[in-house]
Amino acid sequence: MCCFPAGRKLNRSTIDYKLHGTKDHKLFGIFSALGTIAFSFGDAMLPEIQSTLRRPVKKNMYKGISAAYAVIIVTYWTVAFVGFWAFGSTVNAYLLNSLTGPRWAIVLTNILAIIQIAGCYQIYCRPTYAVFEEKFMRLKDKEPLSLHNCLVRLCITSIYIVVITLVAAALPFFGDFVALCGSVGFSPLDFVLPVVAYLRVRRPKNWSVCIVNVIIVVSYTFVAILGSIGAVRFIAIDIKNYRLFGNI
């Protein structure tokens, strides 16, 4: 919503939609963009969620994923298109840094982003929490909600969040790491491993189904590889230009 008024205030004749740089730079930019697009779909597929769904799990999981992908397309991609329309090819990787609207709107948008990230923390960090809790909590001789276990859980989660927040703040090239996470993490998790598991478990006899699934696996494997190459290249370039905690 903030992009529309910000875009209208700018002189539209000065907005540049062309991609600048050498052919190699543009090519690696395309590779990195593949990883960024894959990252946008990362919220829709989390295997640990499936075990908590009510039966029938398959039907409810399909509904959940379909709804998640629909929300992603409507929200994330709308922001991407509107941001590109408003600011052109010079749009900041963290879109909020490009906004020039009312300060209250920018502050509110940042607050909402923090709320979203706070929720994502609890989902994505849950496997890591489980490993630490199994190692440090006394689950055999004490209740899970005993004072000792609650204090251990509080300390572990707090220290972990502080550490990864400091690391994220120290590395200001946000867009590059988004592309890397999308390539290394979400492309295999969302599009490769589920299809491989389906082929191994169900072993479909219909050759057309097998071919389509193999094409999906091969295509998104290439997306993961090319996206990683593009992201690593831009990280290597940005390391020369940025300093730690450069955005603070």
Side-chain angles (χ1 to χ4, degrees):
M1 293 176 64
C2 296
C3 291
F4 282 109
R8 283 197 292 265
K9 288 182 179 179
L10 298 175
N11 184 356
R12 303 307 303 166
S13 61
T14 63
I15 304 300
D16 186 7
Y17 295 104
K18 295 180 180 179
L19 298 179
H20 300 280
T22 63
K23 290 184 179 180
D24 291 341
H25 183 83
K26 294 177 181 178
L27 181 62
F28 282 107
I30 294 173
F31 292 167
S32 180
L34 292 174
T36 303
I37 293 173
F39 182 89
S40 68
F41 287 98
D43 295 332
M45 183 62 184
L46 290 171
E48 61 266 26
I49 292 178
Q50 186 166 358
S51 63
T52 65
L53 292 176
R54 69 178 187 274
R55 297 182 181 278
V57 175
K58 179 180 177 181
K59 182 178 180 180
N60 291 323
M61 191 66 179
Y62 179 80
K63 290 181 179 179
I65 292 178
S66 300
Y69 282 147
V71 171
I72 287 171
I73 293 174
V74 172
T75 55
Y76 284 16
W77 286 33
T78 300
V79 171
F81 289 131
V82 174
F84 184 71
W85 166 83
F87 306 107
S89 57
T90 59
V91 63
N92 194 285
Y94 185 61
L95 181 60
L96 300 183
N97 289 341
S98 297
L99 297 179
T100 57
R103 183 165 182 79
W104 66 266
I106 298 176
V107 172
L108 177 61
T109 307
N110 276 284
I111 292 174
L112 294 175
I114 292 174
I115 293 174
Q116 180 197 15
I117 293 173
C120 292
Y121 263 131
Q122 307 309 315
I123 298 176
Y124 289 112
C125 297
R126 187 64 253 170
T128 305
Y129 293 162
V131 172
F132 284 116
E133 290 173 1
E134 184 178 353
K135 185 174 182 179
F136 295 106
M137 290 175 60
R138 299 174 182 173
L139 298 177
K140 293 184 179 180
D141 55 346
K142 288 183 177 292
E143 292 293 330
L145 297 180
S146 65
L147 178 61
H148 173 272
N149 288 335
C150 289
L151 290 176
V152 170
R153 183 182 287 112
L154 177 63
C155 292
I156 289 174
T157 55
S158 300
I159 293 172
Y160 182 75
I161 289 177
V162 169
V163 170
I164 61 177
T165 301
L166 287 174
V167 172
L171 304 175
F173 19 100
F174 174 77
D176 300 341
F177 279 97
V178 165
L180 183 63
C181 291
S183 303
V184 175
F186 295 136
S187 289
L189 181 62
D190 284 14
F191 303 108
V192 177
L193 295 180
V195 178
V196 172
Y198 170 78
L199 292 175
R200 291 292 301 273
V201 174
R202 298 298 295 273
R203 300 183 183 277
K205 297 180 180 180
N206 190 327
W207 281 102
S208 61
V209 174
C210 293
I211 292 174
V212 170
N213 282 277
V214 169
I215 291 174
I216 292 174
V217 171
V218 173
S219 299
Y220 283 97
T221 299
F222 275 109
V223 168
I225 295 173
L226 297 178
S228 300
I229 293 173
V232 170
R233 181 180 185 274
F234 282 110
I235 289 174
I237 293 175
D238 288 341
I239 286 177
K240 302 176 183 179
N241 303 324
Y242 288 110
R243 57 185 175 83
L244 293 179
F245 301 100
N247 287 349
I248 298 180

